[in-house]
Amino acid sequence: MTMVSIYYLEMKQAEQLKPKQPIPGLTITEAEIKNYRFNRFLYSLVGEQWQWFDKLNDTEKTWKAYAERDELRTWVAYYQGSIVGYFELEIGDQQAVEIKYFGLAPEFIGQGFGGYLLTYAIQQAWTVCHAKRVWVHTCSLDHPSALANYKARGLVLYQQKQE
């Protein structure tokens, strides 16, 4: 069995953010009306190629409980009417905001969208979610540039483990 490396990164101050410039034509919108089916679709769209299978067999009741709670907020990025990617922010204890899921649709990988979408996600964590700390975990199964993108935006590695 192959070992998977899991990386935990954090940002403790908004000033640590190293932003990427906005991309003309890219719009990012919060899904203010919660709909677990939309979250499930986004999870599948973005995560399929990275083996995000852990939630695919969850029941509708489980998805609804996960996606429609007050602590979870979802944003979707669009370019020329198509879904570029999405991110979910989960507001936890002591205003620690986790970037729960983050990623791009396959057609948009490698075109420069990831850096700005992550910039926007971190900005929303600090401003809209009133974070006192922003954190994320990624693993060696994710896109090869995922860890580098998190670090490039100013997130700092604080833990690494093998599973």
Side-chain angles (χ1 to χ4, degrees):
M1 187 166 146
T2 303
M3 294 294 282
V4 176
S5 297
I6 301 172
Y7 308 96
Y8 295 84
L9 300 99
E10 69 182 352
M11 186 178 288
K12 294 184 176 180
Q13 297 179 345
E15 298 75 31
Q16 287 177 253
L17 176 62
K18 299 172 186 168
K20 269 292 226 207
Q21 291 302 308
I23 296 172
L26 182 71
T27 58
I28 305 171
T29 305
E30 183 175 7
E32 295 181 49
I33 299 171
K34 295 177 183 279
N35 181 335
Y36 73 92
R37 290 176 186 91
F38 191 43
N39 288 71
R40 185 173 55 193
F41 167 76
L42 294 167
Y43 176 89
S44 180
L45 174 69
V46 168
E48 183 177 29
Q49 64 187 331
W50 311 116
Q51 301 177 32
W52 292 4
F53 299 131
D54 53 322
K55 295 176 71 63
L56 287 181
N57 292 323
D58 284 357
T59 65
E60 288 200 4
K61 183 179 179 182
T62 301
W63 267 104
K64 187 173 179 68
Y66 168 77
E68 296 186 7
R69 58 204 163 97
D70 291 340
E71 301 83 19
L72 190 79
R73 299 177 74 166
T74 304
W75 280 262
V76 184
Y78 298 92
Y79 185 75
Q80 296 181 355
S82 294
I83 296 173
V84 170
Y86 86 115
F87 62 88
E88 294 176 354
L89 299 179
E90 183 176 55
I91 305 164
D93 294 338
Q94 298 154 356
Q95 293 303 114
V97 176
E98 179 183 3
I99 301 171
K100 194 76 175 168
Y101 289 101
F102 173 90
L104 301 177
E107 302 80 10
F108 294 97
I109 292 173
Q111 298 183 37
F113 290 102
Y116 180 66
L117 185 58
L118 182 56
T119 294
Y120 193 86
I122 294 168
Q123 289 170 336
Q124 298 315 294
W126 288 113
T127 59
V128 176
C129 299
H130 310 289
K132 297 205 181 325
R133 172 179 172 255
V134 177
W135 71 282
V136 66
H137 74 275
T138 188
C139 74
S140 54
L141 297 177
D142 280 338
H143 188 278
S145 297
L147 183 60
N149 189 22
Y150 292 127
K151 288 180 175 180
R153 300 291 72 77
L155 289 149
V156 177
L157 185 68
Y158 70 91
Q159 184 181 356
Q160 181 176 342
K161 63 183 182 180
Q162 302 287 318
E163 282 187 1

